[in-house]
Amino acid sequence: MKKKHNFGTDTLKVMLTNTAPSVSNSVKADITEIAAGNGYPAGGLAITTVSAAQTSGVFKLVLADATFLASGGNFASARWAVVYNDSAANKELVSYFDYGSSFVLPDGEPLIVDFNDSLGFFTLV
């Protein structure tokens, strides 16, 4: 948890894409991000780490929710949220998840990327 990704100190970001990530994707450059604009920042949003701790041999990472807000127009179509390590030299990917279908975020609407507060983003035993 403190080698390629130091989940206690590295800056994680979440970005949006409308192109399905694949198993061969390993760095941010492998992903086609939606166009910046209308409130969507290039590179996505920084994610606040609430806690990154080990207790009795179990490591748990808890992240604060990230909120995108469309402003000045709609976001480009998106389907996947991709979490990557912005501190790592190659901006290695951490994970991605599928919203199930493509969506357009209408002007004035928020998209909350909800990282589970009680279970954490992940737990490693």
Side-chain angles (χ1 to χ4, degrees):
M1 305 308 345
K2 294 186 177 181
K3 190 68 173 167
K4 182 174 287 201
H5 301 291
N6 185 333
F7 289 110
T9 60
D10 288 353
T11 298
L12 300 180
K13 285 191 165 185
V14 60
M15 66 180 186
L16 302 176
T17 182
N18 202 34
T19 304
S22 72
V23 174
S24 64
N25 298 148
S26 61
V27 296
K28 180 182 181 281
D30 293 337
I31 303 294
T32 303
E33 183 179 11
I34 68 169
N38 296 334
Y40 181 81
L45 295 175
I47 306 168
T48 301
T49 299
V50 174
S51 66
Q54 178 181 314
T55 305
S56 301
V58 177
F59 179 86
K60 181 177 176 182
L61 179 65
V62 179
L63 302 174
D65 296 345
T67 303
F68 292 99
L69 180 63
S71 62
N74 300 342
F75 274 17
S77 182
R79 178 170 173 167
W80 290 270
V82 178
V83 176
Y84 69 96
N85 186 338
D86 195 47
S87 298
N90 295 315
K91 303 198 182 308
E92 279 82 9
L93 301 182
V94 175
S95 69
Y96 62 88
F97 48 95
D98 185 352
Y99 280 99
S101 63
S102 294
F103 61 90
V104 172
L105 191 62
D107 186 20
E109 291 292 320
L111 170 66
I112 300 170
V113 182
D114 185 10
F115 300 110
N116 191 302
D117 296 339
S118 62
L119 297 176
F121 180 61
F122 68 80
T123 302
L124 182 67
V125 179

